[in-house]
Amino acid sequence: MKNPLDSVALNAAIENVHRAGMPGLFAEVRDGDQVWRGAAGVADVATGRPVTAGMRHRVGSITKTFTAAAVLQQAESGQIPLDTPIGRYLPGLVPGERGDAITVLMLINHTSGLAEYLPYAYPSLKALPNLAETGPQSLDDNRFTRFHRTELIEMGVTAPAVGAPGGTPGLYSNTNYLLLAELLEQVTGTTAERYITENVIERAGLRDTELPAGPYIDGPHSQLYEAWFGMIDPPRDYSVYDMSWVGPAASLISTVADLNRFYAMLLAGEIVSPSSLAQMQRTVPVVSQEGKTIDYGLGLYPMEGPGQGTFWGHGGTVWGAGALAMTRADGKRQMAVAVNLQRWNRLDSSGKPQPHPIDDALATLYRVAMHG
């Protein structure tokens, strides 16, 4: 019987991403009981220390699936009905008519109309989404800044609305998920981090996954290189960074093995109930931070290949780090990939990111990993 994982093709594909300009990356692909783990390139460009497939990594907005699952658990127990207005729980944070109009569900699927707080928290990013008029200075300035979640939420809530509550397409916004973290605290009486740790991370048996309290990544990990569209040259290491700027929206540290384990259990109905999972897979159009319209569910989104079935998961980026985890709907085929450089595309004369060989090489790796 043919091994469903083509290790030769996977090894070549991951090596090609490194050759295209990615300092280092690592991945785990699963098909039933078959497992392939691979790594290519370096974890430290100064020393040449190699990346390994078991490294811990900042996985960015993959965190949103964990936070959404925690809210869904509370919905199952009747503590947080998804159609309840957020103003009923957090009137001080989302006051007045908006608090009455925005439901918990709209926060989870990014249809609240609430703006992204990041351009207000990071002054050099104020011009977003106009990349050409942004600069990377704030990334350095805020390396050890301890943000208060409520101050970030206030920035997003007081900024001009980006849509009507419940309107589509929605707009992807971290403000939504920081509000969900506040909601979890209000309802559970414990911190969002502790609730997610005990009821999602530990429930899934993830040993190398955590919501960090400080700026450091414990255990073996890569340096994380941020280029900010060629404005940081050479790219700067942001592996030491206080993650309070994103908290339970995007601060998770994990491994590719843990991510595959988590999504396998989630899609098997072992983290939330099968009916909650069905709700998580009900999508609406949402404009991503890259300006593309995607189908987005409740902390999950689909990727499809020609005749290959639907994969569900999430991607994520923070300063210097990126990851993508996707699991086929039947749970059999899985991929988790981590990279240690972000925003490698330089801008063209019109201010748009130019194509880069890394883009095509990554797309090929994803295709080989998901579809063979």
Side-chain angles (χ1 to χ4, degrees):
M1 178 181 149
K2 180 176 175 289
N3 184 336
L5 292 182
D6 185 340
S7 58
V8 173
L10 285 163
N11 287 330
I14 200 168
E15 192 60 48
N16 282 340
V17 182
H18 170 54
R19 283 209 192 99
M22 179 61 63
L25 72 158
F26 47 100
E28 181 187 86
V29 181
R30 292 180 163 266
D31 195 305
D33 296 333
Q34 304 281 340
V35 182
W36 171 88
R37 292 188 188 98
V42 297
D44 187 328
V45 296
T47 66
R49 174 171 62 95
V51 282
T52 62
M55 284 181 161
R56 302 179 86 227
H57 196 72
R58 298 197 192 279
V59 299
S61 284
I62 288 173
T63 315
K64 289 182 173 68
T65 312
F66 288 70
T67 300
V71 175
L72 266 290
Q73 289 175 354
Q74 286 295 301
E76 286 169 22
S77 66
Q79 297 297 306
I80 305 178
L82 297 184
D83 57 359
T84 308
I86 192 61
R88 194 170 302 171
Y89 297 100
L90 304 170
L93 291 176
V94 194
E97 289 180 10
R98 285 171 100 194
D100 294 337
I102 295 170
T103 65
V104 175
L105 180 73
M106 292 173 199
L107 297 173
I108 312 177
N109 70 8
H110 297 293
T111 58
S112 68
L114 293 171
E116 172 62 57
Y117 61 79
L118 190 59
Y120 303 92
Y122 280 67
S124 70
L125 306 185
K126 193 168 178 224
L128 281 173
N130 183 349
L131 296 172
E133 292 184 22
T134 64
Q137 301 86 337
S138 305
L139 278 61
D140 255 7
D141 296 343
N142 285 314
R143 188 187 283 267
F144 293 107
T145 302
R146 196 80 192 144
F147 286 104
H148 292 286
R149 191 183 299 152
T150 51
E151 77 178 302
L152 296 172
I153 290 169
E154 189 181 357
M155 291 173 191
V157 171
T158 56
V162 294
T168 55
L171 190 73
Y172 190 97
S173 167
N174 285 298
T175 307
N176 294 316
Y177 274 72
L178 292 195
L179 275 164
L180 292 171
E182 286 294 309
L183 172 62
L184 280 171
E185 299 204 351
Q186 177 91 4
V187 170
T188 65
T190 186
T191 67
E193 287 83 357
R194 181 173 296 151
Y195 182 85
I196 294 165
T197 298
E198 292 177 355
N199 295 279
V200 181
I201 295 171
E202 290 176 2
R203 183 167 177 173
L206 309 183
R207 304 233 171 127
D208 292 305
T209 300
E210 67 172 332
L211 290 161
Y216 298 97
I217 304 171
D218 294 330
H221 63 276
S222 174
Q223 312 309 109
L224 305 174
Y225 298 102
E226 178 60 52
W228 195 258
F229 306 102
M231 294 180 217
I232 308 177
D233 189 14
R236 194 168 299 141
D237 172 24
Y238 284 128
S239 56
V240 176
Y241 210 97
D242 188 301
M243 299 303 289
S244 58
W245 66 281
V246 281
S251 67
L252 198 74
I253 293 168
S254 191
T255 62
V256 288
D258 268 9
L259 291 177
N260 278 337
R261 178 181 174 86
F262 167 70
Y263 281 106
M265 292 181 72
L266 181 71
L267 289 174
E270 293 173 28
I271 307 294
V272 299
S273 71
S275 62
S276 291
L277 177 63
Q279 282 183 294
M280 292 180 82
Q281 293 173 314
R282 207 166 291 146
T283 64
V284 292
V286 167
V287 178
S288 73
Q289 285 177 317
E290 292 76 41
K292 297 179 182 142
T293 301
I294 60 171
D295 294 322
Y296 197 90
L298 305 187
L300 279 179
Y301 59 78
M303 283 176 72
E304 295 185 36
Q308 302 284 349
T310 303
F311 283 71
W312 290 92
H314 214 291
T317 81
V318 288
W319 312 136
L324 178 66
M326 284 284 157
T327 293
R328 202 166 61 201
D330 63 8
K332 294 274 183 359
R333 183 89 176 196
Q334 297 191 273
M335 164 193 86
V337 178
V339 300
N340 67 2
L341 171 69
Q342 280 302 294
R343 284 157 283 273
W344 52 79
N345 307 79
R346 291 176 181 265
L347 303 180
D348 63 20
S349 56
S350 69
K352 290 202 171 65
Q354 294 178 299
H356 190 287
I358 290 174
D359 304 322
D360 286 341
L362 269 177
T364 299
L365 172 61
Y366 298 154
R367 190 173 68 249
V368 173
M370 292 198 289
H371 310 305

